[in-house]
Amino acid sequence: MLKKFFPHAYAPDVYAIDYEYLYEQGYQALIFDIDQTLVQHGEQSTKEVDELFKRIHAIGFKTILLSNNSKERIEEFIENIDTLYVAMADKPQVDGYLKALDMLGTSKEKTVFIGDQIFTDILGANRCGIPSILVRFLRHDYETKIGKKRQVERLVLACYRLSRTYQNRLGNVVKEIN
Ligand SMILES: [Mg+2]
């Protein structure tokens, strides 16, 4: 079955997520992927991302970054962001997710995972029972071709969109659809 790859919600990007709404629903913590979710692969954080984290923290959320990338990469990324992180997370293996929950001090039911890859981010979150939001992966304008893995992701996403049971399981969490 494909359901192990299905996110709980789909958003065009991290800015389209209604974080206030999530908080009102009782969620207390957010786990973010970094590369192609918040910025392009390997890039520094931006003013927009820094501001987003400030806003999210002001709402009351705890945050943690869960990345398969190195400690050095993450340390540079969070220069202006006050957040926890787990490096070399080895997603979709569950250990990194469980460590993130432990560091946050929250339960899986009160935490939401946000990431761009079905076969790592979302699969791992589902294995742990953490609700997830898939965001459209960021890419440069000059990148016209997409890889095989992304093409398979598109197929899974198309099936997800046909599934009323699995779509929109977090309610009105998306503010806008591009
Ligand atoms: Mg990613």
Side-chain angles (χ1 to χ4, degrees), residues 14-15 33-50 53 73 77 81 116 137-140:
V14 291
Y15 303 101
D33 169 54
I34 302 176
D35 292 307
Q36 292 193 287
T37 294
L38 294 169
V39 292
Q40 304 279 6
H41 198 86
E43 281 187 355
Q44 291 296 312
S45 182
T46 61
K47 219 180 187 179
E48 288 74 24
V49 171
D50 294 348
F53 272 83
R73 188 272 185 275
F77 181 80
I81 302 172
D116 72 293
F137 65 98
L138 297 173
R139 60 173 169 162
H140 294 289

Side-chain angles (χ1 to χ4, degrees), residues 31 66 86 93-104 106 108 127-130:
I31 307 175
L66 184 67
V86 176
Q93 302 304 322
V94 298
D95 296 12
Y97 294 80
L98 297 177
K99 187 177 175 189
L101 289 177
D102 192 45
M103 288 169 74
L104 289 164
T106 56
K108 60 182 192 295
R127 282 175 172 170
C128 292
I130 302 170

Side-chain angles (χ1 to χ4, degrees), residues 62-131:
K62 290 182 188 176
T63 60
I64 192 162
L65 305 175
L66 184 67
S67 173
N68 287 354
N69 218 319
S70 68
K71 183 173 187 278
E72 291 72 26
R73 188 272 185 275
I74 302 175
E75 291 271 341
E76 275 182 50
F77 181 80
I78 60 169
E79 194 183 352
N80 300 310
I81 302 172
D82 184 18
T83 186
L84 300 164
Y85 70 84
V86 176
M88 308 293 278
D90 202 21
K91 293 175 282 186
Q93 302 304 322
V94 298
D95 296 12
Y97 294 80
L98 297 177
K99 187 177 175 189
L101 289 177
D102 192 45
M103 288 169 74
L104 289 164
T106 56
S107 64
K108 60 182 192 295
E109 294 84 5
K110 300 222 178 269
T111 306
V112 175
F113 180 93
I114 299 158
D116 72 293
Q117 286 206 51
I118 284 177
F119 300 116
T120 53
D121 294 322
I122 304 304
L123 174 59
N126 281 339
R127 282 175 172 170
C128 292
I130 302 170

